[in-house]
Amino acid sequence: MKRLAFFVSVLVTFGMAASAAPVTIKYAFWGNPDAIGVEKDIIDAFEATNPDIKVTPVAVAYNDYHAKLLIMIAGGQAPDVMRVDSYFFQDFMKNKALKDITGLIKTNKFDISKLYSVGLQDVQSGGKFYGLPWGTAPLYMFLNKKMFADAGIPLPANNWTYEDLVALSKKLAKGEGENQQWGFGFYLGEINGMLPFVWGAGGDLFDKTRTKFTMNDKAVTDRLDDVLIANVKNNAFTSPFTFQKADDIMRYFSQNKVAMMMGSAATILSLQKIDGCDFAVAPFPGTAKVPAVTVYKSNIVGLSAGTKQEKAAWKFLAYLRGPEGEELYMKAKRMAPTYDDQRYWDLYADTTKPPAKVKEITQEISGKYGRILPLRAGWMEVQTIVMGALQKVVAGQATSAQALTEIAPKVQAVIK
Amino acid sequence: MAAPVIPYSRSIKRKETSMKLSSKARDAIAGYLFIMPNMIGFLLFLAFPVVASLFISAAEWNLITEPIFVGINNFIALFQDSYFWQCLRNTAYFSLFSVLLGIVTSLFLAVLLNNPRVGFSGFLKSAIFLPVIFSTVSVALIWQWILDTHIGMLNHLLGYIRLGPFPWLTDPHWSMPSVIIVGVWRQIGYNMVIFLAALQGVPQDLYEAADIDGARPLHKFWNVTWPMISPSTFFVLVTSIINSFQVFDITTVLTNGGPANSTNTIIMMVYQYAFQNFKMGYASAAAYMLFAIILVITAFQNIVSKRWVHT
């Protein structure tokens, strides 16, 4: 009898301990060691106010991140909360890896009204929310104010056109050898950098249903030939082979050798660190018919479709992407504001340094000039194929029409 | 103190067990136990993935959903894929020139540094071997700066003799030769050490006999040195070809496969399909194609080696 009483008391003790033990959830994100520190700070702040939830960070370098995430999901080890680059969002959606959180947003009255509207588009599929946006920002056009001033040319208005870009580039390009200057810093990195030219020519990567490859339309290929061959050849634009990375262009921009370039919100922070670098940001030049050609991109933080800790995972997600989490991210300058709020811009960028009125311009781009990418499953594979074809054009091995028509069946096979 | 008393039945049992295992068997068990940790690693991390990827190559699989059996469709698609052929051409280009240049250069350096009349040979050997122990990524990054068209040291130096600037990494015609140079520079130290060891193993009396016969240095090299070091040359050739077909790190960091895919290799293609496009079946098929190519080349080398490798 004594033994039985002892066992019962042990079971009760363990049972009580188990019920008091915090719920553990896994949160996966990408980042370098600095970024991991920021996430740890956010997790610590969350755990301090939510002692019943313990968050285990799963940090992976960006290049391997999505593959490792998929392997974790395939192995039944999916993190409860995960960040996904919007490029992969549709692939994750197609494979039912993310949870529909529309109901959770409504039930918990999570305020999405202050999030940039373009960012919200990137986290939806079929009208349902599969995550919350993380770092919603456009790809700005950076204007080197010193080079414009030296040439006696005023900065372009926000409603400028592609023709203006070419004309300005030709005026600003000059010199040879070590003294050479270029009007526009053009490089072939990701498809993002090409789409403003495609959109400006009235075309797109896919048709409206995103099931047909349309980048080989004549208007588009004519524009691309102009961009890739004519303006590179006459040195108005930099050669994407000579300047292969965004960093190369940024270096020349900061040294007043490139007058205009495309860049992200993170580029603003990098340039602000360079003494004497005076610049402005603007939307990408469009046309009167198609003004919205500035790429606007967000990433997603969502819940795993198979999470067994939905309540705890949602609580953490709401904190992470709510005002508290956003403020901590902004203080750490980890990503551009996802909320349309001056306060966050003040924390993110040094408002005493250029560019002036970044928040206002961002707001204007979001409302008038911004356009989200036509993302779909297989995006990365399509990008590899298209960029390979465009490199052939730059190398003079084919015209845009030839190169893009040649790859059309292959792209079509990917998006079938 | 009295010895512990073992019950009669237990002592008999022990005796029987020890008698059952011969000393040979016991040695064998001990041997297997010693190799077991490595064997487990080999089976788990090499043999199993190799076999598994053969099955995956016959499937369409994106890591999340169930694999769909597609038979040899991935291989058929691969043969029709111009990107695959381009990557294969690039790999063959890299392999051919890096192996040839690598062997010729390292053999030349080994012969040179094996000569006792050459000064500072210890320092030179260390200097040539150093790139082997450096991290490939850091080596590639340094070379990226050296070969930069605008601010690179190489073009700067060539400028003094009014040459260049050359678009080392930014022109499709120059990019692969540049990658080959970096690859060779990195590899020659390792090959040189093997050749040096082989050269030092050549019996001196053969050279003395050649001297008596009045052989000149070049004759001595072709008729004495070359045949005697041929097993090492064969080893260097086989390993260099296998390594060159698997080139990935240098091209990834130095050029990322560009410009215009001119330095994209098969392993880079496998990586892109597997871990960027999540087409594991297609990537496995490409990996098996590479395996088959290396197997055929190595088998061919083995057959041909009987004609020129001294045994």
Side-chain angles (χ1 to χ4, degrees), chain A residues 18-339:
Chain A
S19 65
V23 172
T24 301
I25 56 167
K26 277 195 285 184
Y27 163 46
F29 55 90
W30 66 78
N32 58 24
D34 283 348
I36 293 164
V38 178
E39 302 292 343
K40 188 79 183 64
D41 290 345
I42 295 174
I43 290 169
D44 288 346
F46 172 75
E47 286 178 346
T49 49
N50 296 275
D52 54 332
I53 303 169
K54 185 155 177 44
V55 182
T56 307
V58 180
V60 183
Y62 180 84
N63 283 348
D64 299 324
Y65 176 75
H66 292 90
K68 285 194 176 167
L69 202 54
L70 284 174
I71 291 166
M72 286 170 79
I73 295 167
Q77 300 290 317
D80 301 279
V81 181
M82 58 180 131
R83 190 191 303 159
V84 179
D85 191 318
S86 59
Y87 297 145
F88 297 94
F89 175 57
Q90 293 294 337
D91 291 291
F92 276 64
M93 286 299 308
K94 192 178 155 194
N95 294 299
K96 300 184 174 78
L98 288 166
K99 193 176 191 65
D100 174 7
I101 58 164
T102 319
L104 287 167
I105 291 172
K106 279 183 188 161
T107 319
N108 294 286
K109 292 176 184 158
F110 185 87
D111 186 8
I112 56 168
S113 64
K114 284 186 178 166
L115 291 162
Y116 281 116
S117 57
V118 278
L120 288 171
Q121 291 174 48
D122 262 352
V123 298
Q124 291 181 69
S125 184
K128 290 177 179 172
F129 285 89
Y130 287 87
L132 293 169
W134 184 90
T136 309
L139 283 179
Y140 303 94
M141 178 66 90
F142 284 72
L143 307 168
N144 185 315
K145 286 173 83 172
K146 185 181 183 309
M147 287 180 74
F148 272 84
D150 288 349
I153 302 169
L155 295 179
N158 282 351
N159 61 348
W160 61 325
T161 63
Y162 171 74
E163 285 70 27
D164 294 332
L165 171 73
V166 174
L168 285 170
S169 297
K170 284 179 180 169
K171 280 183 193 169
L172 289 156
K174 62 179 183 182
E176 277 183 353
E178 287 183 4
N179 297 318
Q180 189 168 357
Q181 293 181 2
W182 293 266
F184 176 60
F186 173 64
Y187 78 103
L188 285 175
E190 294 173 342
I191 217 163
N192 300 0
M194 296 308 303
L195 283 178
F197 298 109
V198 175
W199 291 335
D204 205 341
L205 182 61
F206 306 122
D207 67 354
K208 279 185 181 166
T209 60
R210 298 184 190 177
T211 53
K212 188 172 180 280
F213 178 66
T214 55
M215 206 170 152
N216 55 344
D217 286 352
K218 194 179 179 311
V220 174
T221 55
D222 285 351
R223 169 61 58 85
L224 291 177
D225 277 341
D226 185 40
V227 173
L228 292 165
I229 298 169
N231 290 308
V232 170
K233 218 170 189 174
N234 64 24
N235 288 325
F237 293 2
T238 57
S239 162
F241 284 170
T242 312
F243 297 86
Q244 292 184 356
K245 293 179 198 156
D247 285 354
D248 296 338
I249 304 271
M250 193 171 75
R251 197 171 68 236
Y252 275 70
F253 181 89
S254 66
Q255 291 168 357
N256 303 316
K257 292 189 171 207
V258 167
M260 294 175 278
M261 67 167 188
M262 208 183 271
S264 66
T267 315
I268 295 177
L269 300 190
S270 301
L271 290 175
Q272 284 189 335
K273 287 177 189 160
I274 301 169
D275 284 339
C277 185
D278 195 8
F279 63 98
V281 290
F284 204 86
T287 63
K289 269 188 185 175
V290 193
V293 298
T294 303
V295 175
Y296 224 110
K297 187 183 173 300
S298 190
N299 296 302
I300 295 106
V301 190
L303 304 187
S304 165
T307 181
K308 287 175 183 142
Q309 307 290 351
E310 185 186 292
K311 207 175 157 189
W314 165 257
K315 215 170 181 183
F316 178 64
L317 175 63
Y319 181 87
L320 190 74
R321 298 314 308 121
E324 299 102 322
E326 181 78 352
E327 189 161 334
L328 290 169
Y329 274 124
M330 292 308 110
K331 279 180 181 166
K333 301 179 186 298
R334 174 70 181 98
M335 49 123 180
T338 316
Y339 284 82

Side-chain angles (χ1 to χ4, degrees), chain B residues 195-262:
Chain B
F195 281 129
L196 268 172
L199 286 169
Q200 282 159 16
V202 179
Q204 283 304 307
D205 49 0
L206 293 178
Y207 290 116
E208 285 161 12
D211 284 335
I212 292 164
D213 290 342
R216 289 180 179 178
L218 203 62
H219 287 129
K220 278 198 278 185
F221 179 79
W222 277 119
N223 298 307
V224 179
T225 312
W226 180 249
M228 292 308 288
I229 64 163
S230 58
S232 299
T233 311
F234 179 61
F235 171 77
V236 169
L237 184 68
V238 171
T239 53
S240 296
I241 288 179
I242 292 172
N243 287 338
S244 65
F245 266 90
Q246 294 174 348
V247 63
F248 175 74
D249 37 15
I250 288 180
T251 44
T252 302
V253 181
L254 210 56
T255 57
N256 197 22
N261 288 332
S262 59

Side-chain angles (χ1 to χ4, degrees), chain A residues 63-64 66-67 70-71 73-74 88 91-92 94-95 97 177-178 180 182 241-245 248 251-252 380-381 384-385 388-389 391-392 395 397 406 410 414 416, chain B residues 60-65 81-83 86 141 144-145 148-151 156 169-173 253-255 257-261 271-279:
Chain A
N63 283 348
D64 299 324
H66 292 90
L70 284 174
I71 291 166
I73 295 167
F88 297 94
D91 291 291
F92 276 64
K94 192 178 155 194
N95 294 299
E178 287 183 4
Q180 189 168 357
W182 293 266
F241 284 170
T242 312
F243 297 86
Q244 292 184 356
K245 293 179 198 156
D248 296 338
R251 197 171 68 236
Y252 275 70
M380 294 303 281
E381 193 175 354
T384 307
I385 299 168
Q391 290 213 359
K392 276 171 87 174
Q397 295 165 357
E406 189 189 326
K410 205 174 170 186
V414 174
K416 70 179 184 287
Chain B
E60 209 171 84
W61 187 43
N62 65 0
L63 285 170
I64 295 184
T65 50
D81 188 348
S82 58
Y83 185 52
Q86 187 181 13
L141 282 171
Q144 208 174 37
W145 282 96
D148 189 285
T149 309
H150 294 281
I151 54 166
H156 182 74
L169 299 173
T170 55
D171 183 291
H173 300 105
V253 181
L254 210 56
T255 57
N261 288 332
Y271 176 80
Q272 284 161 0
Y273 274 102
F275 302 112
Q276 287 177 353
N277 303 338
F278 309 125
K279 289 192 158 185

